Amino acid sequence: MNKKKIRYLGCTGAGILALLLADQYTKYLAQEYLKDQADIIWIPQVFQLHYLENRGAAFGLLQNQKFIFLALCALFLCAAFLFLLQMPATSRYIPLYFIAAGLSAGAAGNGIDRILYGYVIDFFYFSLIDFPVFNMADIYVTVSGFLLILYVCFVYREEDFAFMQRRKS
């Protein structure tokens, strides 16, 4: 592995760590200041901070299926790690390094919650549209997933992913 690749991986790892720390810190704050307290209204009838212990996925799907979520998280993180190892260390792929960092930090952030507490701490709530309560890790996954779709559909071509092809011996 060359120095440039090590630098790209190091920066991606630092990004994952920074995002993960921000996610865990905001969840700590939510636990400390929102749990068993009245909601904090930021914009009346639009946005508020509301503490929620989510034992399922979005919209309450798969309640109390901790093992399934942890297995999927571990599988995703392994796949992301292998993808990062194979991806070329060129400026063309910098957006994908950022996207992989966001997806990985989001998966790991919610995975940590499930390991530590058995549930995910959510606290952002858009009451105007009664949107499911969410957290920073959910934002990382949503934004990164959206960017991944945009980049794959409009920026990268099939040959840009040739590095993922199995090498024949």
Side-chain angles (χ1 to χ4, degrees):
M1 192 177 305
N2 65 35
K3 287 182 183 181
K4 190 173 186 181
K5 180 68 174 185
I6 292 169
R7 190 171 64 241
Y8 272 56
L9 291 174
C11 288
T12 303
I16 292 169
L17 182 61
L19 291 172
L20 193 54
L21 288 172
D23 171 66
Q24 291 299 299
Y25 183 64
T26 57
K27 289 173 180 173
Y28 162 78
L29 292 174
Q31 238 180 351
E32 196 69 22
Y33 297 103
L34 295 173
K35 186 174 185 177
D36 300 324
Q37 301 295 320
D39 292 359
I40 296 173
I41 310 297
W42 277 5
I43 305 171
Q45 275 97 44
V46 177
F47 182 73
Q48 62 199 48
L49 298 178
H50 170 81
Y51 183 84
L52 177 73
E53 295 174 355
N54 184 355
R55 288 171 169 75
F59 307 104
L61 299 172
L62 298 171
Q63 287 291 312
N64 298 310
Q65 298 300 314
K66 179 180 169 180
F67 177 77
I68 291 173
F69 290 117
L70 289 175
L72 289 172
C73 177
L75 199 65
F76 174 80
L77 291 173
C78 287
F81 180 72
L82 292 173
F83 180 78
L84 286 167
L85 285 177
Q86 291 181 334
M87 193 165 36
T90 65
S91 60
R92 174 125 178 97
Y93 293 95
I94 288 175
L96 288 181
Y97 280 94
F98 278 103
I99 289 168
L103 290 170
S104 297
N110 284 341
I112 288 170
D113 280 14
R114 290 186 195 285
I115 290 168
L116 293 179
Y117 314 115
Y119 54 84
V120 173
I121 298 168
D122 290 330
F123 52 91
F124 292 128
Y125 178 54
F126 279 101
S127 55
L128 177 69
I129 56 174
D130 195 25
F131 195 78
V133 184
F134 59 99
N135 60 44
M136 295 293 290
D138 298 335
I139 294 170
Y140 303 157
V141 170
T142 303
V143 170
S144 298
F146 178 73
L147 290 173
L148 179 62
I149 291 167
L150 286 179
Y151 273 87
V152 167
C153 290
F154 300 109
V155 176
Y156 295 108
R157 297 178 308 275
E158 188 175 338
E159 54 270 16
D160 289 321
F161 296 101
F163 66 88
M164 294 173 54
Q165 299 300 319
R166 218 179 221 158
R167 293 185 178 97
K168 296 178 182 172
S169 355

